[in-house]
Structures are given as structure tokens and as C-alpha cells.
């Protein structure tokens, strides 16, 4: 079963927005075991759109379109499908009525151009859109399927998960992935350590470098999700054995949640004070989805070149202000004479049992130092608590 | 002059990464006045890649590829271009020598497969890659151009800006954009107010809803950038007149920089204390690229349901801790009985002259409330300082 995506909208080709719909649909298709071989972005131009639809239908079983379903003249997806199929657009009275109610409820007047969104062709059934005014289209012709969905991610995700995926489920084999996350180890080192498992083709083991560390993605294809999970389990055990305690979490885990959960598990509390990370550490800790109650607060001090406060001083400020069991201080400064410019990030952790200090060096790019410095501090905190994911 | 993009890599079609290269190249092409009609993502499969290259070359003057230039067997862009042109890959000794030095300098051993990256076809000249091991290709044949570039954004951006764009500059007309930014006004309201200017086709005026407010993009096409700037100026004046003081900035301005600059311009200092925004406001202020010296610090207090501290109390804590002229407090709680769930965000600003309090309501999604709440607080601060962008 082969699918293909067509993203419709000139804004994609003017660089006004990043297309995140392709990644979203690619992941969902992979979960359904449906192969995706092409994704194309095309502007609001009828001929070029029909050309793309034509080619997609000739080489794929399922064509998914996003965008071009709005009320304005440059929303052309319906017109494109109609012209591809040689069918005529007709306003569907029940859809039109639904639209009128939608506008009436909000006290808006419904302009004529909105009726576009209530039109269908004979081969198309409408797909309800609970998040917006434009219904989707489910089109079946000559054993192929075209699914036209709205471009706004919120509307697309809702329509896909509640309407489209249930109709597609079961057409392919199941694909399941498990992602392990490691920190403070290089991608190439992970590659080396995983050589015993990477050649396998099912489950596959893939390594990706991300901001919060190295992600190891184990993917199994099987007749159902249960069988895929069974295939993944022994590989996960092996990967964890090969990588040791550099693995800190899995799947949706974040470094802040894992670190705070480790603090909470020991019945302790933590506070932070930071300069060079510019509030990123406090923001992560305050946003953690787990262990939140063990975070007592963060002090964000302005950072400037030549800042001489030590991480230990900052940690003391945090403990003083919030009376926490554990206090994390993050300071830093440019590394003298480094080319390209680098920043040294110093982390001090005051524990009930004593204190620890460590440092790391990152390229001097504000966003990078903020984020990697904060992850490094969370890593130190985890390490001192003897936690491994 | 028509360009087209082909992104090569199965990771794009498995949903492992979002393709940001298309947006980057689309913006750069637009700046050069080169039209972009299609962008296609294709996996690491030789036949499908050649198929895409063939079609692209048949309908476009310039084909830009990203990715597939690495050393491994599934990096197939060079093979694809060679097969498309019916030419043979040959290792270029000077490129090979350059690679050997690259590895030697880092004390790595260079494995054989890396020689792939030193290969060329007769129609291709190599493009230096100062950020990685894979050089790009500049291919000219039958009046068409193929430019093969690496997939990692850092390598791509550097190669494009230092090597590729200079060779392409001047082939098209110039396109210049100016973006005005408004806050606390709805997209549809902006649409209404701008009706006098939106029908024009050069300069065009487009409206986009973004997290930091509504962006109004004025784009002019002219024979050179100077002429485009001249065409934009009067339209900008008109847009600003139509939108009044809801416009807070332009182009690269951020709300935090504009707000801090307004504080600094009055010789004042500011500090913040926040709960529901979970450190986002402090992180923004600490990261601002302008007026940084006027930010004295932020207090990030943990946020929990049923938190009863008022924004005014939080503002007092900030002023107390940092002895600032101005103190901003941000509190909040879920809005009782709201469906869908909403959070109320309360902002208090203590000024030398007195105090102000205001509130707004946002959908209860953590990331959303964090960011929009912080922007709302910055907006209030700007408003009280009588600043307009």
C-alpha cells in the first residue's frame, strides 16, 4: 500500500511557513504500515496542482492533500480534484446548512464565497471538520483513494485522528517505534557501540543527533502492534546494555521531567539560579510534566560579558531564596581565545550531602548555549542523584 | 527563471525530521526574484530520485537538491545525477586529498566509503563545504543548472550564502519584503482595516497570524532592491496609519527587545516574577538582544492549580528581590467552568508612578499559556511606557 502527500499553498513556496504536515502524516502513515514514497509542495495554481494530482494517482494507491480547502479564490484543491476526475462541483445543501449554522452561532454573517466549502463532486464524500469551516473530502475512484484535508495543523490532526486514520487502519502491516535517549555521548560513539544491532533490518535501529542528546530509534514491522512490541523488547535490552548509563530516558521523556522525578523520588526539593542559560533551566523545571511539586523556584540573573559570579555563588543564592534541599547554579563566560568562539558553562549542585562542580564548553550561539547549558545542568543533577533512564 | 527543490532522504518520509530546508531556500530564492513552483521530498531510492530529477529538469531552469551527499551507501544524490546525465562518477584526486587532510587534522582514520564524497561527473564542478566533509555539486548541462547541496541546515545555509547565491544573484528581478508586527488585535480585524491596501499586486500586502501577534508582510518586486524599497515605503506608512498603535515592531524585532528598549530609553530598570508563564517571561527578558542592561532579574515561582498568589504580590516580590524601578508580576488560574478549558492570565506592573493590573484569557495548553501569557505581559509593559513600534 503506497501513499503520497501533496501540500497545497503558495505560502509554502514563498517560505512564509515551514511545512510540518508532511512530518505529521509521515509518522502516522508509518504507524499504519503504509509506505510513503513522495511528498510534494505545490502553489495555488490549478494546472500545476492537477499535474501533481495526476502523477500521484498514477503511482500511488492513496493520495493525501493538505491545504487549499478555504473559502477564497486561491483555494483550489476541490477544483483540482474535480478537474482531475472530470467531475462537476455541486453545492451540498446539508453542508451549506451546517456552514450557515456555524456562522450564525458565532454571530458572523456568512459571505457567499463560503459556499465553496460546502461543494462536492459525485465521487467525493465529505469528512466533518470539528475545528474549522472547511470539511475534508474522501474520494474513491478506480480503486484509488484521494483524501483532501485542511492545511492548519490543528484541523488536520483532528480530522486525521478522528476520521481518516480509522478508515485507513488495517490496510497495512503495523509499524511500532521505541526511542531511547542518551546524553553526554557523541553520535559516532553511539554508532560504534551499536554496531552489533544496527545491521538488522527488522527491527531497525537508527541513531539521530538531537538537541537533548542522541536518540536511538528501534522500529519493528509486524502483522500487529503487539507482535511489533514483542520484537522490539529484546533489542531495547541489548541497546541499553551496549550504551550503559548514558541512556537517560525513552519516547516522550524530557530531561527536565526525568531529573525532577528523580528529585521527587528521593523526597527532596530543588531550586535553580542561572546567568548564561538566560532562564532556560528555570523555564524547563517550571514546565516539567513530572515531579513538579519538588521544584521550589528559579532565579534568573542577567548575564553579561565578564560576569564573574561563580556557579557555586548562584547555587547558594537559590538555596537561600527558596530554602530547597538541592540547589543548582549555572554560570559561564566566553572561553578565552577560542576560535570559533566558545562559551564555558559551569554547573554547581549543592546537595544535602555536599557540593559538586562541573563544566562543559559549547559553541557561542545564544540559543544553543541556553538550551544545551540547561540540558547539561539537568544531566549533572540526574547523575548526582544516581538516576539512569 | 524557474527553480525547483528536491529534498533527498528517507528520514523525511518516515517523519523523523521536519524539512526546514525548503522554507530556507524558498525565502532565499524569493529574495533573488527566482520563482519556485515545486518542492518534492523523495527517499533514498535511486529510481525514484532519478524520476524526480528528470521531471524537475524538464519543467524548471534550476534544480536544487539537498541531502544524499554523505559517505554511506544510501547517499545517492551523486549517483542519481550521474545516471540522469548518463555520465560516470570519477574520484577527483584534489578533493580526495582535501578529505584526507580533513580527517588527519581531526586524528580520525578515513574509511574508504568517504571517497564517494570526492567523486565528480564531467559536467559537475565541486562546491566547497566549509562546515562538513561533503562538497556540493554545480552542474550545467543544456542551459539548465543542477545544484546539489548537503542536507544538514548548517552546511546548507553556509554553502548557499557563500557559494551558491553569489553565482545565482542577478538572474531574476529583486523581491524585497518588510514585515510589520501587531499585537492584541484579531487577524480578521486586521484584514478589515487593511482592505484599502490588500488588493494591490505590487507591492502585495499579506496578513499572517503568528504566536507573537499578527504579521503584515509587504512585498515588492522591482528591477533592484533599492527600487523595491522605494515601492514599499508609502505602503508601510499607509498600513501603520490604518492599524494605529497596535503595531509594535517590524522585521526582526521581538516583543522582548522592543519592551526592554522602551524601558532602557526611559533610563529605568525592570524585574519580573511569574507563575503561570512558567519562566517564559524571565527567559525572554534575559535573552533580549536589546536593552539587556535594564533587566535586573526574574523570579520563577512554581505554578500549581489553585495557586492564589495575585499578580500584584508577585510584582512586589520581584521589586523587593531586585530593587528595580519597574516590576512585572504574572499570575493566573484556570477559568471556572470554561469549555474548552481556558486559563486566565493576570498581569500587574508596578511603575515608579503607580501600578496597573490587566488580564487576558487563553486556551489551557501549557506551551500556549506560557508563550502568549509572556507576550501579553510584554505588551502591557510596552503599553504603559507609551511605546508604539
Amino acid at each position: 500500500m503506497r501513499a503520497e502527500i501533496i501540500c497545497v499553498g503558495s505560502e509554502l513556496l514563498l517560505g512564509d511557513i515551514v511545512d510540518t504536515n508532511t512530518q505529521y502524516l509521515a509518522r502516522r502513515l508509518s504507524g499504519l504500515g503504509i509506505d510513503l514514497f513522495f511528498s510534494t509542495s505545490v502553489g495555488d495554481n490549478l494546472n500545476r496542482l492537477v499535474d501533481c494530482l495526476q502523477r500521484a494517482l498514477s503511482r500511488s494507491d492513496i493520495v493525501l492533500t493538505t491545504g487549499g480547502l478555504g473559502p477564497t479564490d486561491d483555494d483550489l484543491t476541490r477544483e483540482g480534484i474535480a478537474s482531475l476526475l472530470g467531475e462537476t462541483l455541486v453545492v451540498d445543501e446539508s453542508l451549506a446548512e451546517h456552514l450557515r449554522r456555524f456562522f450564525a452561532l458565532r454571530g458572523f454573517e456568512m459571505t457567499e464565497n463560503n459556499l465553496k466549502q460546502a461543494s462536492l463532486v459525485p465521487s467525493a464524500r465529505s469528512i466533518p471538520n470539528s475545528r474549522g469551516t472547511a470539511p475534508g473530502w474522501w474520494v474513491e475512484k478506480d480503486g484509488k483513494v484521494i483524501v483532501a484535508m485542511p492545511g492548519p495543523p490543528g484541523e488536520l490532526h483532528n480530522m486525521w485522528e478522528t476520521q481518516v486514520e480509522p478508515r485507513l487502519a488495517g490496510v497495512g502491516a503495523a509499524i511500532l517505534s521505541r526511542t531511547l535517549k542518551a546524553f553526554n555521548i557523541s553520535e559516532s560513539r553511539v554508532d560504534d557501540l551499536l554496531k552489533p544491532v544496527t545491521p538488522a533490518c527488522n527491527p531497525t535501529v537508527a541513531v539521530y543527533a538531537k538537541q537533548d542528546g542522541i536518540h536511538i530509534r528501534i522500529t519493528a514491522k509486524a502483522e500487529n502492534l503487539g507482535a511489533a512490541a514483542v520484537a522490539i523488547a529484546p533489542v531495547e535490552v541489548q541497546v541499553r546494555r551496549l550504551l550503559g548509563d548514558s541512556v537517560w530516558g525513552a519516547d516522550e521523556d524530557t530531561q527536565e521531567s526525568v531529573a525532577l522525578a528523580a528529585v521527587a523520588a528521593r523526597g527532596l526539593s530543588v531550586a535553580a539560579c542561572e546567568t548564561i542559560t538566560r532562564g532556560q533551566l528555570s523555564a524547563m523545571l517550571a514546565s516539567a510534566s513530572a515531579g513538579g511539586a519538588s521544584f521550589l523556584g528559579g532565579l534568573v540573573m542577567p548575564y553579561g560579558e565578564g560576569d564573574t559570579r561563580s556557579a557555586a555563588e548562584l547555587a547558594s543564592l537559590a538555596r537561600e531564596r527558596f530554602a530547597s534541599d538541592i540547589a543548582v547554579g549555572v554560570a559561564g563566560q566566553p572561553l578565552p581565545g577560542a576560535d570559533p568562539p566558545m562559551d564555558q558553562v559551569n554547573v554547581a549542585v549543592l546537595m544535602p550531602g555536599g557540593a559538586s562542580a562541573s563544566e562543559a564548553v559549547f559553541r557561542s550561539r545564544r540559543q544553543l548555549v541556553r538550551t544545551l547549558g540547561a540540558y547539561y545542568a539537568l544531566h549533572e543533577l540526574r547523575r548526582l542523584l544516581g538516576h539512569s533512564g
Side-chain angles (χ1 to χ4, degrees), chain A:
Chain A
M1 182 69 59
R2 287 185 184 190
E4 153 157 17
I5 298 170
I6 299 176
C7 305
V8 186
S10 295
E11 65 276 24
L12 294 164
L13 298 178
L14 289 170
D16 292 328
I17 59 174
V18 171
D19 161 40
T20 58
N21 291 341
T22 294
Q23 183 192 32
Y24 171 79
L25 291 172
R27 283 201 176 145
R28 306 296 302 205
L29 288 167
S30 149
L32 295 170
I34 299 174
D35 292 319
L36 176 66
F37 285 165
F38 302 95
S39 177
T40 307
S41 296
V42 60
D44 302 315
N45 172 285
L46 190 59
N47 295 336
R48 291 195 284 274
L49 172 57
V50 172
D51 178 62
C52 287
L53 286 165
Q54 181 76 67
R55 180 168 314 100
L57 211 55
S58 72
R59 64 189 178 187
S60 304
D61 309 299
I62 304 172
V63 179
L64 307 171
T65 73
T66 70
L69 293 181
T72 67
D73 294 345
D74 61 3
D75 290 303
L76 295 168
T77 301
R78 291 182 209 82
E79 288 76 358
I81 296 173
S83 134
L84 172 77
L85 303 177
E87 301 185 3
T88 310
L89 285 162
V90 182
V91 171
D92 177 282
E93 219 3 82
S94 67
L95 291 177
E97 189 44 41
H98 179 80
L99 263 183
R100 291 193 193 91
R101 275 200 310 275
F102 180 94
F103 280 90
L105 272 171
R106 287 154 184 72
F108 297 152
E109 166 209 8
M110 179 172 124
T111 53
E112 265 314 291
N113 57 3
N114 279 286
L115 277 181
K116 243 175 94 101
Q117 302 178 104
S119 59
L120 289 172
V121 292
S123 307
R125 280 173 297 146
S126 73
I127 308 173
N129 178 354
S130 60
R131 296 286 177 88
T133 56
W137 274 18
W138 180 282
V139 181
E140 287 184 26
K141 190 140 184 177
D142 310 330
K144 306 246 177 165
V145 175
I146 304 174
V147 186
M149 297 170 285
E155 298 182 33
L156 170 69
H157 296 188
N158 180 265
M159 184 177 289
W160 177 268
E161 286 160 38
T162 63
Q163 309 283 332
V164 179
E165 191 163 290
R167 304 191 200 188
L168 291 175
V171 297
I175 297 185
L176 183 65
S177 284
R178 168 86 165 156
T179 299
L180 299 179
K181 301 178 176 182
F183 190 76
N184 225 24
I185 182 169
S186 75
E187 183 178 16
S188 54
R189 176 78 178 130
V190 170
D191 271 324
D192 281 354
L193 291 170
L194 294 186
K195 278 204 166 37
V197 291
T198 36
C201 60
N202 189 29
T204 57
V205 178
V207 177
Y208 307 99
K210 306 277 185 178
Q211 271 204 319
D212 64 352
I214 305 299
H215 290 192
I216 301 93
R217 187 166 187 244
I218 308 166
T219 306
K221 188 164 187 169
E223 60 283 351
N224 59 58
L225 288 174
V230 167
I232 286 174
V235 181
E236 172 172 353
V237 170
Q238 201 177 355
V239 170
R240 285 182 178 273
R241 209 186 57 246
L242 293 167
L243 298 184
D245 62 10
S246 61
V247 174
W248 59 264
D251 294 335
E252 302 314 310
D253 289 344
T254 63
Q255 290 211 40
E256 53 270 33
S257 300
V258 170
L260 270 188
V263 172
R266 284 152 187 75
L268 301 173
S269 62
V270 64
C273 180
E274 60 192 308
T275 56
I276 195 169
T277 42
R278 299 169 183 271
Q280 188 65 28
L281 176 61
S282 301
M284 283 181 179
L285 289 168
S287 307
S289 55
S294 57
F295 172 65
L296 299 190
L299 267 171
V300 182
M301 314 298 279
Y303 171 74
E305 300 285 315
D307 194 316
T308 58
R309 282 167 300 187
S310 74
E313 289 173 64
L314 298 178
S316 309
L317 283 178
R319 176 176 273 176
E320 201 177 290
R321 176 62 180 77
F322 300 103
S324 57
D325 304 314
I326 305 173
V328 182
V330 186
Q333 54 279 314
L335 198 64
D339 176 31
M342 311 282 276
D343 286 339
Q344 177 175 307
V345 173
N346 299 78
V347 173
V349 182
L350 303 180
M351 304 283 285
S356 117
S358 57
E359 60 188 52
V361 163
F362 303 104
R363 263 175 303 144
S364 301
R365 290 222 317 271
R366 182 169 297 189
Q367 186 54 45
L368 202 68
V369 175
R370 274 178 57 166
T371 308
L372 297 185
Y375 282 136
Y376 176 64
L378 291 168
H379 168 76
E380 280 303 298
L381 177 56
R382 255 193 346 262
R383 197 177 57 75
L384 291 164
L385 291 168
H387 173 89
S388 97

